């Protein structure tokens, strides 16, 4: 596309040294035959059992005091022997098995990280039937490849894909997952060219509200959809149905499936809302400032917990950062101190508790919605200095909240 190319050259002046491509993931629905579903179920089963075995082995090493030194390579080196002993594992592509061991390694590293930071983490858990949903071909082209709308998976077969959008960039990893309504494939792609939008010359600050989802420094309000609360009644009902049935029975599994579908719907509605809101902001502004919030700490506060989790603020920020990066825009985090206390008119610090929803300044007489005042402060703080941290580019790593 020569047009896009010209565009990015023009944008390059403005965004300077920033990257011209991003990493992204494309998801597509699979349309497997019943036989292929069985084959994928088998792979999942084998992967899960390998995961649990590898975890068990690490546990033994840990008991002997070797736990910390144990590496992925030690376990990966034992794979050929394992295959010789249990021919079942030969049904699974070898790189998929290696990826399972990498997952164990990752879980373990996270576990030790929490130990060293003084937290009291639970030991990594063994994965039950309903907790292991995906397997990964770590190298595109090695066991998994797409050709004309058909995904060819080694040891499974050729599965048609619902290609609702074009894959761009260079596919790196292929993950197959089972979710409530079927099977999906996701391609993690590198070097996906960004599609910069023309400059608008505008910038804003945004603040998360309690009653509204967010408010901009221009006073624009995005209301909270509260999908979760609306759907909660339905979810509760589905949950009750699960708990009434005999665990592990056919009817129980059916109820679990129905419940999972309800959760999935809420999740999708929420993500759709996030994407649309982020897109609107990214189209309107060159730079968006937001508060560098520790969402994890806020969720621990029980009064706010519901609202914050509902709004999925952290998930939204990840999406916003990614969309901004894609469009050649900037999302910057500014320090979160006193943004709701200070007066955006004169800078006077006006202390107020969370229940006070309106900012009233005794020195300049400014009367304004609390969150709008905060959004204006965030914008001013972003404009003022280099203290802002560019969120785009590292947003996913920094902002993903474990609570959401
Ligand atoms: Zn004032």
């Amino acid at each position: 596309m020569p047009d896009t190319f010209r565009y990015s050259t023009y944008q390059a002046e403005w965004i300077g040294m920033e990257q011209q491509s991003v990493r992204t993931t494309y998801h597509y629905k699979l349309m497997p035959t019943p036989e292929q579903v069985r084959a994928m179920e088998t792979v999942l089963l084998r992967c899960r059992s390998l995961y649990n075995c590898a975890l068990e082995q690490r546990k033994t090493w840990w008991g002997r005091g070797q736990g910390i030194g144990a590496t992925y390579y030690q376990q990966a080196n034992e794979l050929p022997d394992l295959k010789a002993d249990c021919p079942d594992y030969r049904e699974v592509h070898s790189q998929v098995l290696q990826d399972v061991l990498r997952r164990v390694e990752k879980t373990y590293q996270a576990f030790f990280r929490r130990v060293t930071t003084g937290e009291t983490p639970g030991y990594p858990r063994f994965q039950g039937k309903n907790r292991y949903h995906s397997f990964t071909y770590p190298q595109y082209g090695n066991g998994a490849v797409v050709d004309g709308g058909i995904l060819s998976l080694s040891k499974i077969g050729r599965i048609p894909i619902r290609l609702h959008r074009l894959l761009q960039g260079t596919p790196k990893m292929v993950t197959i997952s089972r979710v409530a309504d079927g099977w999906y494939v996701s391609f993690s792609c590198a070097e996906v060219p960004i599609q910069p939008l023309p400059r608008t010359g505008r910038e804003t600050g945004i603040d998360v509200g309690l009653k509204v989802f967010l408010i901009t420094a221009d006073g624009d309000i995005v209301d909270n959809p509260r999908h979760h609360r609306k759907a909660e009644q339905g979810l509760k009902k589905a949950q009750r149905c699960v708990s009434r049935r005999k665990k592990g029975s056919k009817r129980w599994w059916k109820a679990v499936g129905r419940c999972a579908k309800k959760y999935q719907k809420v999740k999708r509605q929420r993500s759709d809302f996030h994407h649309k809101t982020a897109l609107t902001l990214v189209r309107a502004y060159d730079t968006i400032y937001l508060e560098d919030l520790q969402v994890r700490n806020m969720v621990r506060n029980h009064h706010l917990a519901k609202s914050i989790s509902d709004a999925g603020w952290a998930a939204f920020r990840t999406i916003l950062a990614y969309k901004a990066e894609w469009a050649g825009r900037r999302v910057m985090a500014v320090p979160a101190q006193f943004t709701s206390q200070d007066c955006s008119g004169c800078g006077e610090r006006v202390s107020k508790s969370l229940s006070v929803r309106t900012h009233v300044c005794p020195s300049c007489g400014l009367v304004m919605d609390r969150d709008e005042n905060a959004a204006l402060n965030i914008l001013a703080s972003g404009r003022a200095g280099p203290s802002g941290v560019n969120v785009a580019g590292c947003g996913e790593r920094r902002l993903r909240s474990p609570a959401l």
Side-chain angles (χ1 to χ4, degrees):
M1 277 178 283
D3 269 345
T4 319
F5 184 71
R6 197 150 37 95
Y7 227 14
S8 33
T9 328
Y10 151 67
Q11 286 288 334
E13 291 171 15
W14 173 51
I15 54 180
M17 298 300 287
E18 282 175 51
Q19 62 212 100
Q20 297 294 303
S21 68
V22 289
R23 230 190 140 99
T24 191
T25 307
Y26 294 93
H27 304 271
Y28 301 100
K29 183 149 197 190
L30 289 175
M31 290 172 286
T33 62
E35 204 177 313
Q36 288 166 336
V37 168
R38 272 196 296 280
M40 290 190 289
E41 295 275 6
T42 310
V43 171
L44 265 190
L45 182 75
R46 303 276 178 261
C47 287
R48 183 166 67 90
S49 91
L50 178 66
Y51 184 94
N52 288 337
C53 284
L55 204 59
E56 180 71 45
Q57 190 181 39
R58 293 238 177 174
K59 205 172 177 177
T60 317
W61 287 346
W62 167 245
R64 288 197 227 126
Q66 300 169 272
I68 300 174
T71 64
Y72 157 77
Y73 295 101
Q74 276 171 285
Q75 293 193 310
N77 281 339
E78 291 178 19
L79 270 179
D81 289 345
L82 181 75
K83 276 194 202 168
D85 290 347
C86 324
D88 282 351
Y89 286 114
R90 282 186 217 146
E91 294 167 31
V92 185
H93 191 264
S94 57
Q95 290 209 341
V96 172
L97 292 177
Q98 286 163 11
D99 180 74
V100 171
L101 296 179
R102 247 176 245 123
R103 289 185 190 190
V104 175
E105 167 98 348
K106 226 170 143 187
T107 318
Y108 237 76
Q109 298 297 347
F111 170 65
F112 282 117
R113 194 170 52 240
R114 273 168 290 159
V115 170
T116 39
T117 54
E119 291 172 61
T120 46
Y123 189 82
R125 58 187 287 174
F126 293 95
Q127 303 299 316
K129 191 178 169 188
N130 212 14
R131 287 186 57 92
Y132 205 91
H133 303 286
S134 67
F135 55 91
T136 297
Y137 294 84
Q139 253 179 19
Y140 179 81
N142 198 336
V145 73
V146 189
D147 180 21
I150 306 272
L151 176 69
S152 293
L153 292 180
S154 147
K155 317 226 173 185
I156 291 170
R158 288 165 57 78
I159 310 173
I161 307 180
R162 198 172 290 157
L163 264 181
H164 64 284
R165 64 189 288 201
L166 223 58
L167 194 81
Q168 286 187 305
T170 319
K172 293 281 178 192
M173 254 183 351
V174 183
T175 298
I176 310 293
S177 19
R178 181 182 59 192
V179 299
D181 71 341
W183 292 79
Y184 286 79
V185 59
S186 40
F187 299 95
S188 157
C189 296
E191 291 137 25
V192 182
I194 62 168
Q195 292 165 4
L197 293 171
R199 282 189 79 172
T200 61
R202 295 173 71 201
E203 50 184 15
T204 195
I206 56 174
D207 188 34
V208 53
L210 264 186
K211 294 219 167 86
V212 298
F213 179 68
L214 64 82
I215 185 159
T216 70
D218 297 322
D220 295 331
I221 286 171
V222 179
D223 276 316
N224 236 322
R226 304 221 183 266
H227 297 306
H228 198 86
R229 274 188 203 181
K230 262 189 218 159
E232 214 164 49
Q233 292 307 315
L235 275 175
K236 261 187 193 157
K237 214 171 140 192
Q239 205 95 65
R240 270 203 302 276
C241 190
V242 171
S243 55
R244 267 203 308 271
R245 295 183 174 177
K246 191 168 170 267
K247 197 170 175 183
S249 69
K250 256 190 184 162
R251 295 179 72 242
W252 180 80
W253 277 111
K254 253 187 197 166
V256 167
R258 263 202 302 275
C259 201
K261 264 190 192 159
K262 289 213 157 119
Y263 270 113
Q264 194 188 32
K265 183 162 183 200
V266 173
K267 209 172 131 191
R268 282 185 179 162
Q269 280 176 331
R270 187 150 58 193
S271 139
D272 181 58
F273 166 72
H274 286 163
H275 275 281
K276 282 179 181 155
T277 310
L279 191 60
T280 313
L281 287 170
V282 161
R283 278 194 181 137
Y285 301 102
D286 291 342
T287 305
I288 299 160
Y289 300 103
L290 37 73
E291 266 184 322
D292 203 359
L293 285 182
Q294 285 290 321
V295 175
R296 210 203 304 202
N297 292 340
M298 286 180 76
V299 174
R300 283 203 192 114
N301 177 335
H302 291 289
H303 294 291
L304 289 177
K306 193 75 189 164
S307 296
I308 300 280
S309 312
D310 243 6
W313 182 235
F316 170 72
R317 286 171 58 138
T318 306
I319 290 170
L320 181 67
Y322 151 80
K323 276 231 187 316
E325 198 179 10
W326 188 275
R329 306 291 213 215
R330 292 189 309 165
V331 174
M332 312 280 282
V334 302
Q337 276 158 330
F338 305 115
T339 47
S340 57
Q341 309 296 326
D342 289 356
C343 175
S344 58
C346 66
E348 179 88 8
R349 187 150 298 159
V350 189
S351 299
K352 43 184 147 343
S353 72
L354 249 183
S355 56
V356 181
R357 304 306 309 160
T358 310
H359 166 80
V360 181
C361 179
S363 60
C364 74
L366 181 74
V367 179
M368 193 179 251
D369 175 81
R370 175 201 177 95
D371 296 328
E372 190 181 346
N373 178 58
L376 278 167
N377 282 332
I378 291 166
L379 173 60
S381 162
R383 276 181 176 157
S387 56
V389 187
N390 197 347
V391 177
C394 62
E396 209 178 13
R397 279 196 301 284
R398 279 194 44 219
L399 296 172
R400 177 164 293 156
S401 160
L404 295 163

